[in-house]
Amino acid sequence: MASLLKLSTAVRRQTLLAGSRAGSTYAAAFRTALSNEPATEVTTLDSGLRVASESVPSQVATVGLFIDAGARYEDKNSNGTANFFEHLAFKGTTKRSQSALEQEVESMGAQLNASTGRDQTSFTARCLSKDVPKLIEILADVVQNPRLDDADVKRAREVILGEIEQVDASNLREVVCDHLHATAFQGTSLGNTVWGPSSNIRSIKADDVRGYVNSHYKAPRMVLAAAGDVRQSELEKLAEKYLGKVESTFDGKPPQLSAVRFTGSEMRVRDDSLPLAHVAVAVEGCGVSSSDAVALSVASALIGTWDRTFGGGVNNASKLAVASAHDKLCHNFESFNMTYRDTGLWGIYFECDPLQCEDMLFNVQNEWMRLCTMVTDGEVERAKRQLKTQLLAQLEGPQAICEDIGRQVLHLGRREPLHDVERRIENVTASNVRDVAMRYIFDRCPAVAAVGPVENLPDYMRIRSSMYWTRL
């Protein structure tokens, strides 16, 4: 028996060594593949406009203009103006009527899209690579020469008010997210919603939108990004040709981000007519350029995402997913790590039956405390693999790459190579995760937002008292 045990131990040791060598070989090959990915080229023109591109072997390309303009740059009276311009942007220019613009884009088989966020606005076009020059000219025309007549403003106002009603009625996740920002960053511009209050939408005029565009759409605040079968030198020439007249100076002081202040607090909207409680709980995270950002992303991946329609059930790697499946704690949950230029929100969103609010939140906070004190190397390794998979899956195709280029260059002035991102993730250890969790989560005041039948959700002081363990 002793001999068999020795043999078994030896076999296991050889297997582990072989697995370790295979894993090391795979990791090296993976890093080599990432390092061979095309580099992102970035050039700053004399006007301050930045041009960035990545050559991707594809017949389809995506080109976009990304601007430092969004809800964070608005005050309580102008909140909603950036989103208002998004709805007016493709309604025609001083050079093109709306019908001419639409016919021109349709004839190329291209797709135009606009998006407004809290810290940036983007106008993108998906097209055949050979049509990139024409689409850049169209995007430049849309941004520099918007028509903004009163009839279009009136129609856009009706559309926006209808969309706000639709979101309030059917997209409760976004509603809760807006409430979370409003309470977490109350009294600061980051608490603004992208939509703006209905009272503002009803009062915004064409001159207000025109003034906002003239104040924010300046060359130093803009990035022209492209991904596909494109060449950086050609993009620079196109930028000079079509965007060379964008002003680089400001009338007065350039728009600045106001100071951010996180407040531990809560906002509850009780509505017993809804079937489920929608709850978000978060602590203040870090900015996108912080050295803690990757470790917090790994910590978020450790909590994970789960839906009762997923397979796996009690065999999930996430302990919170196992508890949710076994005890039917919730219908779904999603851990998140939202990063902005100077701050962030790290937390979780979940939907559950009214009587499960307390039990679900207990398990969530129990997992958070475990992150701070007892997370293991094996769990961190699994979370790092999941984070890498998620990252690479999000960068499939020219459109996702273009949006990533625009966002990173706008915030950081460069785009971090994938092999550097992979190395930063790989360097995260269980000790790193415990350290950042202790700094950002342990004994911190959370922000809470809840909508629906939330009577059973513990009061704020009970939630706050569960943000630490006295067993340490």
Side-chain angles (χ1 to χ4, degrees), residues 185-390:
F185 300 109
Q186 55 187 278
T188 72
S189 60
L190 194 51
N192 293 338
T193 69
V194 172
W195 298 96
S198 298
S199 58
N200 282 8
I201 303 305
R202 292 189 177 94
S203 63
I204 289 176
K205 298 180 176 60
D207 287 342
D208 298 323
V209 179
R210 188 176 292 107
Y212 185 87
V213 173
N214 291 338
S215 298
H216 292 78
Y217 284 50
K218 304 291 188 179
R221 301 171 63 82
M222 300 172 67
V223 173
L224 174 66
D229 187 11
V230 295
R231 300 292 178 269
Q232 177 72 5
S233 57
E234 296 176 4
L235 285 176
E236 292 171 15
K237 294 176 182 177
L238 292 169
E240 289 281 11
K241 181 178 181 180
Y242 297 118
L243 294 162
K245 295 182 179 179
V246 177
E247 295 181 359
S248 58
T249 58
F250 298 86
D251 297 330
K253 293 183 179 180
Q256 298 290 333
L257 290 177
S258 61
V260 175
R261 179 186 66 253
F262 180 90
T263 303
S265 53
E266 69 173 3
M267 182 180 293
R268 304 187 188 207
V269 181
R270 182 174 173 181
D271 185 351
D272 291 344
S273 67
L274 296 175
L276 300 176
H278 303 256
V279 182
V281 185
V283 293
E284 184 178 17
C286 64
V288 66
S289 60
S290 171
S291 59
D292 294 330
V294 172
L296 281 175
S297 293
V298 172
S300 181
L302 272 161
I303 302 298
T305 300
W306 179 82
D307 190 287
R308 65 177 183 175
T309 61
F310 289 179
V314 295
N315 297 310
N316 278 280
S318 166
K319 294 185 182 298
L320 183 59
V322 172
S324 299
H326 185 270
D327 298 324
K328 298 181 175 57
L329 296 176
C330 67
H331 287 234
N332 59 76
F333 71 79
E334 179 182 355
S335 185
F336 57 80
N337 181 32
M338 302 179 190
T339 54
Y340 297 100
R341 185 166 300 184
D342 49 355
T343 187
L345 284 174
W346 189 97
I348 192 169
Y349 167 82
F350 61 86
E351 299 173 8
C352 66
D353 293 321
L355 296 179
Q356 293 293 340
C357 290
E358 184 174 10
D359 291 342
M360 179 61 188
L361 190 58
F362 171 83
N363 280 271
V364 166
Q365 293 187 280
N366 194 60
E367 272 300 284
W368 285 5
M369 294 304 99
R370 206 177 61 79
L371 275 182
C372 300
T373 56
M374 298 188 298
V375 67
T376 65
D377 291 322
E379 290 176 295
V380 171
E381 289 301 316
R382 185 264 305 170
K384 291 194 297 187
R385 287 192 293 270
Q386 288 188 338
L387 185 59
K388 292 177 189 177
T389 302
Q390 181 183 7

Side-chain angles (χ1 to χ4, degrees), residues 377-451:
D377 291 322
E379 290 176 295
V380 171
E381 289 301 316
R382 185 264 305 170
K384 291 194 297 187
R385 287 192 293 270
Q386 288 188 338
L387 185 59
K388 292 177 189 177
T389 302
Q390 181 183 7
L391 173 68
L392 295 176
Q394 289 175 345
L395 294 177
E396 283 291 325
Q399 183 169 350
I401 293 173
C402 177
E403 292 173 355
D404 188 58
I405 292 172
R407 181 177 61 255
Q408 289 202 42
V409 174
L410 201 60
H411 287 171
L412 305 174
R414 63 184 180 85
R415 185 182 182 225
E416 189 174 13
L418 281 178
H419 60 88
D420 283 351
V421 177
E422 190 275 339
R423 176 181 51 79
R424 290 175 61 198
I425 295 174
E426 191 59 35
N427 288 340
V428 174
T429 64
S431 178
N432 296 144
V433 173
R434 289 193 294 267
D435 287 344
V436 297
M438 287 295 290
R439 284 200 299 274
Y440 290 90
I441 305 171
F442 193 85
D443 201 18
R444 298 296 177 182
C445 295
V448 182
V451 175

Side-chain angles (χ1 to χ4, degrees), residues 30-38 418-419:
F30 182 62
R31 292 192 189 96
T32 301
L34 290 182
S35 64
N36 290 330
E37 285 288 308
L418 281 178
H419 60 88

